[in-house]
Amino acid sequence: MVWTSSALKSAVILNNVFLAISGEQKVMCGIVGAVAQRDVAEILINGLHRLEYRGYDSAGLAVVNLQHELQRVRCLGKVKALNEAVEKSPLIGGTGIAHTRWATHGAPSEDNAHPHVSGNFAVVHNGIIENYEELRALLKSRGYVFTSQTDTEVIAHLVEWEMRSAGSLLEAVQNVVKQLTGAYGMVVMDRMHPEHLVAARSGSPLVIGLGIGENFLASDQLALLSVTRRFIFLEEGDIAEITRRSVDIYDRDGHKVEREAHDSNLENDAAEKGKHRHFMQKEIYEQPTALINTMEGRVTHNNVVVEAIGNGAKDILEKVEHIQIVACGTSYNSGMVSRYWFESVAGVSCDVEIASEFRYRKFVVRPNSLLITISQSGETADTLAALRLAKEKGYMAAMTICNVAGSSLVRESDLAFMTRAGVEIGVASTKAFTTQLVALLMLVVAVGKAKQTLSTEKEQDIVKALQALPAEIEKALAFDKHIETLAEDFAEKNHALFLGRGEFYPIAMEASLKLKEISYIHAEAYAAGELKHGPLALIDADMPVIVVAPNNELLEKIKSNIEEVRARGGQLYVFADKEAGFSEAEGMKIITMPTVNDITAPIYYTVPMQLLAYHIALIKGTDVDQPRNLAKAVTVE
């Protein structure tokens, strides 16, 4: 539906909240805004298309025309439906805002979709307003009528209220944010003064795209790559006023500040699937190139370049006596693998903890302890909160392993080790995980060198293994057709169990996470030695058991665990090294893998697990790239 200004005066709506991944509320929503001399509706919709990876249930946009009428279209479902609605009733105007919403407060519906309007003002918002109930009660006492169930609607009404006494929209928004508790990234538009937009960021990322005679806003630079390559990343507490020819930014205290502009090197077609059926499939196949990019300039023919980790890295790593890793979801699993490496290769003790647990418990900081946060997006709320808490608790230094250069974790850490995975659209991380593992293994070598606990021979062996890995991953991808056939066995399955030992236990955890994320099969992962302590009770002919079995020092142990499953009638799928001595038998299928170096084997064995989850999801008919209830980055807890 298209709304005229008269209709909008009586429509008081607004909302949104966004976030996701790994069991928390998720960064599911997307924001796009524009101030230009040309019509912007097509730019806004194109930007929303590029943000579809985040996950959402409704979409909308609003544009101000030359008659100062605010035209709004909202719909339930995909951006494609929004585009079709706009084609039927074109929106004409050079200033506009758009949004994709993932429901938290209020069910998915057109009424709950963004933009929301109060009087002359339209708002789009990502995040969660924690004190919305008390603000809602206050606004009702002032006579405001609420037409949505969202927490965001209070922002629109607060803006309308504050504008009654404020001298400008900027001042009104500055007054509004002082009343908000929670996380938000928001953009406000005034139909009577469409020459500018005002944006505010607290806990939810926003980026300004700089053009020539036009400027843009978005929650991710990916949304704007078709119109600009130059960006300013807003920092915590920033409020920005954007016009066609100017960008003015103010910090949380109201002081005007300068934020550095950056040129993006992201590819304009990064949000396109190309020849692949899904983004997840594309990103699985991009892993050999992504791993090369991760190692470029950091690995020579026989050593890891410590200085490439960051300025001052060598001095920090020399002093490290303990490492504390904090992360969520897939990033937590990569940290779990690296714990084995830090202790066995570098000789440094290492603990790994889920960020949402770490930040809320009382912990003891060990002497000379390095905090390492891991996050694909660099905006994961719990991980970011853990970093800020760690700074207060006396950690020696903080490092982040991250994929997004302008993110909050990168800006706020002492050292940032970029994974260079490239844009990852699929909600279920693939290349983000393997590039994190490669980055962590390089870091392990760097710590061992700095601490002089790693021999030259061992370093050269690891470097050789790392350099061979991209080609080995290419060969692993050749198992695709075989795994596709294997996946047919899972068509009617509702449960699965993954087993691994040592550093392959976290690989089983990651495999389990991938399967449950995109196929909705209930999957669990166990250290194989734990079978006798409970999981054996689950084993029967309907419970497939997937085992990761490389030819290492724990091979005989894992073989014993496999026999425990066989004795109870379980159906086994064993991904085993060709030298491990397995042969198929009743109730046991063997997927024979080539021999790879022990140190990089966890990374290698990840790829067939990804392919298995992908093909099972295809058979199940689920939305592979945008699985239900999930999204790409968690920007609120």
Side-chain angles (χ1 to χ4, degrees), residues 610-628:
Q610 295 170 346
L611 291 170
L612 181 63
Y614 175 72
H615 286 297
I616 293 173
L618 291 185
I619 291 170
K620 290 286 189 178
T622 60
D623 190 338
V624 172
D625 287 332
Q626 297 175 30
R628 67 189 183 197

Side-chain angles (χ1 to χ4, degrees), residues 481-519:
K481 289 298 181 183
H482 180 42
I483 292 173
E484 182 179 4
T485 301
L486 193 73
E488 295 173 3
D489 290 2
F490 292 76
E492 304 300 325
K493 302 300 182 184
N494 296 310
H495 308 277
L497 185 65
F498 289 81
L499 300 177
R501 297 196 76 132
E503 60 266 47
F504 292 88
Y505 167 44
I507 298 305
M509 292 167 57
E510 175 62 12
S512 167
L513 178 61
K514 285 292 145 299
L515 185 63
K516 70 181 71 168
E517 278 181 315
I518 64 171
S519 75

Side-chain angles (χ1 to χ4, degrees), residues 30 46 71 133 147 159 197 210 230 240 248 252 255 284 301 320 326 391 424 430 446 456 462 467 567 604:
N46 182 52
Q71 310 157 89
E133 289 183 337
T147 59
V159 170
L197 297 172
L210 303 176
R230 194 153 179 77
D248 294 318
R252 66 175 74 249
H255 300 132
I284 289 172
H301 68 284
V320 170
V326 179
K391 288 184 174 182
E424 187 178 68
T430 51
T456 301
I462 294 173
Q467 291 173 331
Y604 177 83

Side-chain angles (χ1 to χ4, degrees), residues 118-123 139 142 144 155-176 179 188-193 195-196 198 241:
S118 182
N120 294 327
F121 308 98
V123 182
L139 288 161
R142 292 172 177 171
Y144 287 94
I155 301 174
H157 293 320
L158 284 173
V159 170
E160 202 282 334
W161 174 264
E162 291 297 335
M163 272 300 291
R164 299 181 183 189
S165 58
S168 66
L169 183 60
L170 172 66
E171 182 183 343
V173 173
Q174 287 173 325
N175 292 337
V176 166
Q179 303 171 57
V188 184
M189 180 170 65
D190 180 355
R191 73 177 180 88
M192 298 307 297
H193 299 280
E195 67 276 5
H196 63 188
V198 175
E241 184 174 31

Side-chain angles (χ1 to χ4, degrees), residues 402-420:
C402 185
N403 191 39
V404 180
S407 63
S408 297
L409 279 173
V410 170
R411 294 197 304 270
E412 298 184 29
S413 297
D414 300 306
L415 293 171
F417 198 13
M418 307 309 299
T419 56
R420 303 172 181 168

Side-chain angles (χ1 to χ4, degrees), residues 269-424:
D269 62 354
E272 303 298 328
K273 290 191 283 283
K275 66 180 181 179
H276 297 281
R277 185 173 175 182
H278 296 95
F279 282 112
M280 182 180 180
Q281 183 188 41
K282 173 175 178 271
E283 287 150 10
I284 289 172
Y285 275 81
E286 286 175 342
Q287 286 176 114
T289 300
L291 298 186
I292 291 171
N293 292 338
T294 304
M295 290 185 277
E296 184 179 3
R298 295 161 169 174
V299 175
T300 67
H301 68 284
N302 61 5
N303 77 314
V304 171
V305 182
V306 177
E307 293 75 12
I309 293 174
N311 292 330
K314 187 173 184 295
D315 291 338
I316 291 173
L317 298 184
E318 285 176 349
K319 300 172 185 174
V320 170
E321 295 178 21
H322 175 70
I323 288 170
Q324 174 67 62
I325 295 175
V326 179
C328 302
T330 286
S331 297
Y332 171 76
N333 292 339
S334 68
M336 287 288 288
V337 175
S338 74
R339 179 179 65 174
Y340 292 89
W341 292 337
F342 276 114
E343 297 193 343
S344 66
V345 176
V348 175
S349 62
C350 177
D351 291 321
V352 186
E353 190 158 0
I354 297 169
S356 57
E357 292 295 314
F358 178 83
R359 63 180 289 199
Y360 288 117
R361 75 172 179 84
K362 294 180 181 179
F363 55 84
V364 177
V365 181
R366 300 194 195 182
N368 294 323
S369 186
L370 172 67
L371 181 87
I372 299 177
T373 58
I374 310 174
S375 169
Q376 191 283 138
S377 69
E379 301 292 347
T380 309
D382 283 320
T383 308
L384 187 55
L387 167 64
R388 292 168 179 167
L389 177 64
K391 288 184 174 182
E392 300 172 3
K393 297 294 185 179
Y395 278 88
M396 180 186 71
M399 168 186 282
T400 190
I401 293 175
C402 185
N403 191 39
V404 180
S407 63
S408 297
L409 279 173
V410 170
R411 294 197 304 270
E412 298 184 29
S413 297
D414 300 306
L415 293 171
F417 198 13
M418 307 309 299
T419 56
R420 303 172 181 168
V423 174
E424 187 178 68

Side-chain angles (χ1 to χ4, degrees), residues 468-488:
L469 189 58
E472 290 171 343
I473 298 295
E474 286 280 8
K475 293 178 181 177
L477 293 169
F479 283 88
D480 188 48
K481 289 298 181 183
H482 180 42
I483 292 173
E484 182 179 4
T485 301
L486 193 73
E488 295 173 3

